[in-house]
Amino acid sequence: KSFLEWAIREQGAVVLSTYDNPLYNAMLGEAGWTRSDIDTVTSGANITRAKRVEVVWRSPKCHDTQLEMLGVI
């Protein structure tokens, strides 16, 4: 929880990659972060391949920076 509190307070652009997590969903969602779900497949020498959904969270500053780079804002 303290890590998420730090990330929310951070003034720069922040990107977090995780799996679905109720605490992240609540805290980052309420703070206005943008969520993207990415379908992935696990891999490794001794691991059975399994489908998973990776969750990427972008802070509002990160989202705004991307739009500026694209000339949208």
Side-chain angles (χ1 to χ4, degrees):
K1 184 177 177 183
S2 61
F3 170 73
L4 293 177
E5 291 169 340
W6 168 84
I8 290 168
R9 286 192 312 268
E10 178 58 41
Q11 296 298 308
V14 178
V15 177
L16 300 177
S17 177
T18 185
Y19 293 106
D20 190 47
N21 180 299
L23 182 61
Y24 280 56
N25 296 344
M27 291 182 68
L28 298 178
E30 289 175 15
W33 287 45
T34 302
R35 175 184 167 144
S36 299
D37 291 358
I38 303 169
D39 293 327
T40 61
V41 178
T42 60
S43 62
N46 297 320
I47 299 174
T48 302
R49 295 174 66 84
K51 293 182 180 181
R52 293 193 182 174
V53 177
E54 184 174 337
V55 178
V56 176
W57 288 98
R58 291 173 291 152
S59 67
K61 178 65 175 177
C62 182
H63 184 73
D64 292 348
T65 300
Q66 288 178 315
L67 294 178
E68 289 172 8
M69 290 173 59
L70 295 171
V72 176
I73 61 172

